[in-house]
Amino acid sequence: MSTAGLDRRTRRRQETIEEILEVAIELMETEGVAALSLSAVARRLGMQPPSLYQYFPSKMAIYDALFQRGAELVLAVQREAVATASEDEDVLERGLNAFCRWCLEHPVYSQLLFWRTIPGFEPSPAAFAPSMESVEDLRQHLQEAVDAGRLHPDAAGEEAIALFTSMTAGLLSQQIANQPDASFEDGRFIRLLPVVLEMFYQRYAPTRG
């Protein structure tokens, strides 16, 4: 988040919040997503645990802020990929590749965003809003493909969106679970992404039914 235009006190507070979130991500990478400790965050930052509550009232509040941050980041990555697509590129494929690449490069965020790894955690409406925007972007791209005659009208419906997200999330789950250190190019499971996309296209071919 940019701090330009903020007064010095507000800017310093925002910078501290960003530092807290960065440290939280680092600790989650080494200790596990669900094992985050406010005391450990405070120690890493050189502050007393009660001081941390001036910025986040609870551990769940940190998770919520990280959820929103991750959702905003991956949304921006997808939109940038689509915006820079050439005329002959498949917008759905380009956006999906950018999404999966980002998820593999940021496994902590991916666990927080797409798997229920933290007992009792539910993102707030504000934190979840960017994820809803991602779904609406997907719906728009599918509808554009329908309007162009490349997909059946059902492809922009709720069932199709559920299938599309389930198939891609399944590949990501397999990849992160079985080859967490593999790259987007080399991963055994993520390499099947074009196959999954082709299966979706066949399912919702214009002549379906």
Side-chain angles (χ1 to χ4, degrees), residues 38-64:
L38 290 183
S39 297
V41 173
R43 284 196 302 272
R44 183 74 66 88
L45 289 167
M47 64 170 61
Q48 294 298 316
S51 299
L52 201 60
Y53 291 104
Q54 298 178 29
Y55 304 95
F56 292 99
S58 67
K59 182 167 65 173
M60 291 300 178
I62 292 182
Y63 283 133
D64 196 65

Side-chain angles (χ1 to χ4, degrees), residues 31-196:
E31 305 296 330
V33 173
L36 182 64
S37 162
L38 290 183
S39 297
V41 173
R43 284 196 302 272
R44 183 74 66 88
L45 289 167
M47 64 170 61
Q48 294 298 316
S51 299
L52 201 60
Y53 291 104
Q54 298 178 29
Y55 304 95
F56 292 99
S58 67
K59 182 167 65 173
M60 291 300 178
I62 292 182
Y63 283 133
D64 196 65
L66 287 172
F67 188 102
Q68 182 169 350
R69 189 195 210 195
E72 289 172 348
L73 288 170
V74 72
L75 176 62
V77 163
Q78 288 177 281
R79 286 180 170 174
E80 173 67 17
V82 169
T84 56
S86 62
E87 290 185 4
D88 60 343
E89 283 187 287
D90 183 334
V91 169
L92 272 174
E93 183 175 9
R94 186 170 172 83
L96 181 59
N97 285 344
F99 168 79
C100 290
R101 182 186 296 274
W102 185 90
C103 288
L104 293 181
E105 292 174 353
H106 302 85
V108 171
Y109 278 118
S110 295
Q111 291 178 56
L112 185 59
L113 288 168
F114 308 118
W115 293 275
R116 290 183 175 269
T117 53
I118 305 162
F121 172 68
E122 290 284 347
S124 66
F128 197 66
S131 295
M132 295 300 295
E133 289 187 55
S134 291
V135 173
E136 288 308 308
D137 283 0
L138 172 60
R139 190 191 311 277
Q140 178 184 333
H141 299 321
L142 289 169
Q143 186 61 55
E144 289 169 353
V146 169
D147 295 342
R150 296 194 300 273
L151 292 176
H152 189 276
D154 289 349
E158 295 300 325
E159 179 186 271
I161 290 172
L163 178 61
F164 187 94
T165 55
S166 296
M167 292 170 73
T168 54
L171 278 188
L172 279 171
S173 296
Q174 286 285 74
Q175 187 60 57
I176 291 174
N178 294 283
Q179 286 184 309
D181 298 323
S183 68
F184 178 79
E185 289 77 16
D186 299 329
R188 171 187 171 193
F189 298 95
I190 208 64
R191 285 203 305 266
L192 298 173
L193 202 55
V195 178
V196 164

